[in-house]
Amino acid sequence: MFGELVTWYLFFGGLAGGSCLVCLGVRWYIDVASSSGEEEKNRSELVLWQWVRLHCRTYKAMLIIVLLAAIMGCICLLGDLTRPQQAHLLFIQPTLSVLNLGAIVLVAFVVCVGVLLALSLLPVRSRCQACRVVEIFTGILAAIVIVYTGVYLNSMWTVTPWSSPFLIALFLFSSLSTGIATMLVVIGLSDVSYLSVVKPLERLLGVDVACIVCESVALGAMWLQLGDFGESSLFKLLFIDGAPLQFWVGLIVCGLLVPLAIEVAFARRKRMRAWFLIILGVLVLVGGFFLRFCVMNAAVEYKALMLMVA
């Protein structure tokens, strides 16, 4: 079975992929809104201007976070290998395997994000055309990085906690939510005023609510698939009894319930301070980590359970 570093790899990989898609999504939204026939309407309502302001204040910081998270993911994955000195064989002697594909995609993703960060330092006019192709390619790689971890674990059909197809959806929506959380932290730490980005902030929080709801549905679907809601269900034995504090406090409370309550409250009151954004983002990030911890720990508990049965 995998070591503890794989949990961190799953977290950093999901964080990097989700943050990259959110960052590029903001940029692509601005491009589409600017070229559409609703440009004047957007300008009159200051909506487009707010998106541009948000993009200018967060783009470079988000790329730096994505790059660091992706590099940390590579380091954690390398550290967990039985023979890390032979990791280069994945590229010199590639095979048609999910593991080999994931390694190549992750390295290519790191390179593309590094190129985007370098291009962001150039003058605006000279970087626009050069960034376009790199951004599209990076976005595709980010999506693969997000989905890959769930697909890889799901391919190990002998490990029952990982055999559920809902695991892929769980990692997908969690990664997008952690990506939005990262941007919320960046907004909270920047000197941008709340009123100058209120419209984009409303949209980001609305998307995050949808991601958290979908994440909760996927988690519930896994629970149903692994048994029922009774005391003897396999889900309870593996996910809850194996790590009750991490599951209830880390995942359910910090990652799902509290962020959802805060975001719903914001939708009603339309007011949130910078420090509140930071707390909200950190809670979602904590929940994203403990989700992966619980998934990995469930496999350990399953292995122990099978040994007891045998």
Side-chain angles (χ1 to χ4, degrees), residues 76-104:
C76 291
L77 187 60
L78 186 64
D80 189 74
L81 294 177
T82 305
R83 297 178 180 178
Q85 66 276 11
Q86 297 183 2
H88 64 282
L89 296 178
L90 292 172
F91 306 95
I92 297 177
Q93 300 175 1
T95 59
L96 293 176
S97 65
V98 181
L99 177 62
N100 202 97
L101 175 63
I104 294 174

Side-chain angles (χ1 to χ4, degrees), residues 273-293:
R273 296 186 180 275
W275 61 268
F276 220 57
L277 290 176
I278 297 174
I279 292 177
L280 173 59
V282 170
L283 285 174
V284 174
L285 292 174
V286 169
F289 170 78
F290 280 111
L291 166 64
R292 288 150 181 83
F293 175 88

Side-chain angles (χ1 to χ4, degrees), residues 84-302:
Q85 66 276 11
Q86 297 183 2
H88 64 282
L89 296 178
L90 292 172
F91 306 95
I92 297 177
Q93 300 175 1
T95 59
L96 293 176
S97 65
V98 181
L99 177 62
N100 202 97
L101 175 63
I104 294 174
V105 168
L106 189 58
V107 172
F109 177 63
V110 171
V111 173
C112 287
V113 174
V115 172
L116 274 182
L117 184 59
L119 290 173
S120 69
L121 302 177
L122 298 176
V124 177
R125 289 186 177 180
S126 60
R127 77 172 186 238
C128 285
Q129 295 300 324
C131 278
R132 189 74 60 179
V133 176
V134 181
E135 282 180 351
I136 295 174
F137 192 54
T138 305
I140 295 174
L141 291 175
I144 296 176
V145 168
I146 291 175
V147 176
Y148 160 75
T149 52
V151 172
Y152 181 55
L153 296 181
N154 194 239
S155 65
M156 301 181 186
W157 56 269
T158 55
V159 183
T160 299
W162 295 347
S163 63
S164 173
F166 298 108
L167 181 66
I168 301 174
L170 192 62
F171 277 10
L172 170 63
F173 292 115
S174 175
S175 297
L176 293 176
S177 183
T178 53
I180 295 174
T182 303
M183 180 164 282
L184 294 179
V185 173
V186 172
I187 296 172
L189 293 175
S190 65
D191 59 349
V192 61
S193 65
Y194 163 80
L195 293 177
S196 64
V197 293
V198 62
K199 291 298 182 181
L201 193 56
E202 288 178 5
R203 185 66 60 85
L204 285 173
L205 292 177
V207 174
D208 195 39
V209 167
C211 289
I212 292 176
V213 170
C214 292
E215 186 180 345
S216 303
V217 171
L219 187 63
M222 283 185 63
W223 194 330
L224 285 174
Q225 189 179 29
L226 293 177
D228 51 31
F229 289 95
E231 289 295 320
S232 61
S233 71
L234 191 59
F235 185 93
K236 182 178 183 300
L237 292 174
L238 300 180
F239 285 86
I240 301 177
D241 293 346
L245 188 64
Q246 291 89 338
F247 180 83
W248 289 115
V249 178
L251 173 56
I252 301 300
V253 175
C254 292
L256 299 177
L257 295 182
V258 175
L260 189 61
I262 293 175
E263 290 168 351
V264 170
F266 171 83
R268 292 185 175 184
R269 300 185 63 180
K270 306 289 185 181
R271 187 69 180 176
M272 187 175 291
R273 296 186 180 275
W275 61 268
F276 220 57
L277 290 176
I278 297 174
I279 292 177
L280 173 59
V282 170
L283 285 174
V284 174
L285 292 174
V286 169
F289 170 78
F290 280 111
L291 166 64
R292 288 150 181 83
F293 175 88
C294 291
V295 168
M296 297 301 296
N297 187 72
V300 176
E301 295 293 329
Y302 179 74

Side-chain angles (χ1 to χ4, degrees), residues 41-88:
K41 178 182 177 181
N42 286 329
R43 288 189 183 278
S44 65
E45 297 177 355
L46 300 179
V47 175
L48 183 58
W49 176 83
Q50 290 189 15
W51 279 102
V52 172
R53 185 176 179 83
L54 177 70
H55 167 71
C56 293
R57 295 302 181 95
T58 61
Y59 185 71
K60 292 179 183 178
M62 288 291 289
L63 287 181
I64 292 174
I65 292 173
V66 170
L67 183 60
L68 292 177
I71 292 174
M72 288 301 298
C74 291
I75 293 174
C76 291
L77 187 60
L78 186 64
D80 189 74
L81 294 177
T82 305
R83 297 178 180 178
Q85 66 276 11
Q86 297 183 2
H88 64 282

